[in-house]
Amino acid sequence: MNYIILDLEWNQADDLKTKLESELTFEIIEVGAIKLNSEYMQIDSFHELIKPQVFNRMNQVTGELIHISMRELENCRNFCEAASDFLRWCGDDYIFCTWGNVDLTELQKNMDFYHMPGLSKKPIKYYDVQKLFSIAFEDKKKRRALQFAVEFLNIKEEVAFHRADADAFYTAKVFKKVAAAEGVLKNYSFDTYRLPKNKAEEINAVFEDYAKYISREFINKLAAMNDKDVVSTKCFLCGAKTRKKVPWFSNNGRNYYSVMVCPRHGNIKGKIRMKKSVNDKIYVVKTMKQVNMDTVNDIIMKRNQLREGRRERRHRT
DNA sequence: ACAAACGTGCCAACCTGTAT
DNA sequence: ATACAGGTTGGCACGTTTGT
């Protein structure tokens, strides 16, 4: 299997009127990619600028960032031609790798805008190199700009950042470093531009010390929280029934937390995130993670503080 | 029976940091 | 500039529990 390290640059409206008129918020104007084989050796590269069809002026902030002028794009091919060629170039046995979690969504949005055949009907499995960098070298949660990672890893800065070919090149360099770290490549991600359509397509991914569940769509939060798979607290490692130490609670209606105890695997923290999908429906991302007593106490404190805060506020008014 | 207090869900507003 | 993720805060609405 090959690794396709992909980076896109896009433009957007530069005034309110244009923004309101356009169905596409971000228009892709550059594609850069590096193809690595299964040994992480570079075997090919792809680079193409794209002639815009939606925005004919460069957004000022974007223009200063990516240093591309509209004149450079005048004689380029349009998105459909470039994207079709790019996808052909990718081949049929690959996994995408991107810096951050945005590019695959924007790629699919642009493809949908031009009514191209979809990349996938389901969530796409890929590597978020920004996340892998955090897992390999930082705290697993922090998200850094690409330049930080390049400097952190003492990678030679040969070309300017924020161009698709340059950033794909640097991302590939960082990817090679994180791939060399033991176990890091087990931590794949899912792009959720396309959601699971039914129970069978729902995602249950088990990693070394955590698990991720991505649900199908529900009409509202209540429906989601009434689904037994969504609120299930079975141990993600052995499937055993757990004791609920802290039942699901929420501070803001978006995140729900819980603590359960597996007889074999100890304390497990559960977190449910409510996410909005298109047409005002919602879906759920649930993560389960083995945690120590300190974390358990943090969650209990969080819940108590929440109650405390509410009580105080009531007394004040 | 009634009102106050409490617990909870939900939302808007705001924050930081990242992407272009 | 827009959009997103993830977080906090405060207020509103509602149902339940508690005190009298």
Side-chain angles (χ1 to χ4, degrees), chain A residues 23-196:
Chain A
E23 283 176 50
L24 193 67
T25 36
F26 294 139
E27 179 176 29
I28 294 169
I29 53 172
E30 189 181 31
V31 179
I34 301 281
K35 188 185 284 179
L36 305 181
N37 66 16
S38 52
E39 274 77 51
Y40 316 120
M41 299 299 295
Q42 179 171 336
I43 53 175
D44 206 354
S45 65
F46 185 98
H47 179 224
E48 185 158 351
L49 286 161
I50 291 164
K51 181 178 179 159
Q53 316 285 308
V54 180
F55 304 119
N56 52 22
R57 287 202 311 272
M58 189 66 70
N59 175 284
Q60 195 188 329
V61 177
T62 308
E64 285 167 15
L65 184 75
I66 65 181
H67 299 110
I68 298 175
S69 71
M70 279 297 168
R71 285 194 43 199
E72 291 175 69
L73 307 177
E74 268 170 16
N75 299 315
C76 298
R77 296 195 297 169
N78 64 34
F79 177 81
C80 290
E81 292 179 76
S84 304
D85 265 8
F86 167 67
L87 292 173
R88 251 194 307 280
W89 172 86
C90 286
D92 51 14
D93 186 24
Y94 66 88
I95 183 165
F96 280 124
C97 311
T98 63
W99 191 261
N101 58 3
V102 186
D103 288 67
L104 285 182
T105 296
E106 294 310 326
L107 176 61
Q108 292 175 93
K109 274 189 189 168
N110 275 253
M111 289 171 68
D112 272 3
F113 179 77
Y114 294 109
H115 304 105
M116 293 174 66
L119 252 189
S120 167
K121 291 179 175 175
K122 295 189 287 188
I124 297 174
K125 186 173 167 177
Y126 75 107
Y127 283 119
D128 176 351
V129 187
Q130 186 187 44
K131 171 176 159 177
L132 299 182
F133 173 77
S134 188
I135 289 170
F137 301 109
E138 299 208 276
D139 66 352
K140 303 187 182 190
K141 288 183 177 172
K142 188 91 187 131
R143 293 297 181 265
R144 299 286 195 177
L146 178 58
Q147 188 164 3
F148 178 94
V150 167
E151 282 165 9
F152 182 94
L153 296 171
N154 293 314
I155 293 164
K156 197 176 163 204
E157 293 177 44
E158 298 170 40
V159 284
F161 286 88
H162 292 301
R163 285 296 299 264
D165 50 348
D167 284 8
F169 169 81
Y170 287 127
T171 303
K173 294 266 188 192
V174 175
F175 179 72
K176 285 187 201 183
K177 300 258 190 187
V178 300
E182 178 67 29
V184 168
L185 286 198
K186 290 176 182 171
N187 298 280
Y188 48 85
S189 302
F190 286 96
D191 175 87
T192 48
Y193 177 68
R194 298 253 193 264
L195 290 166

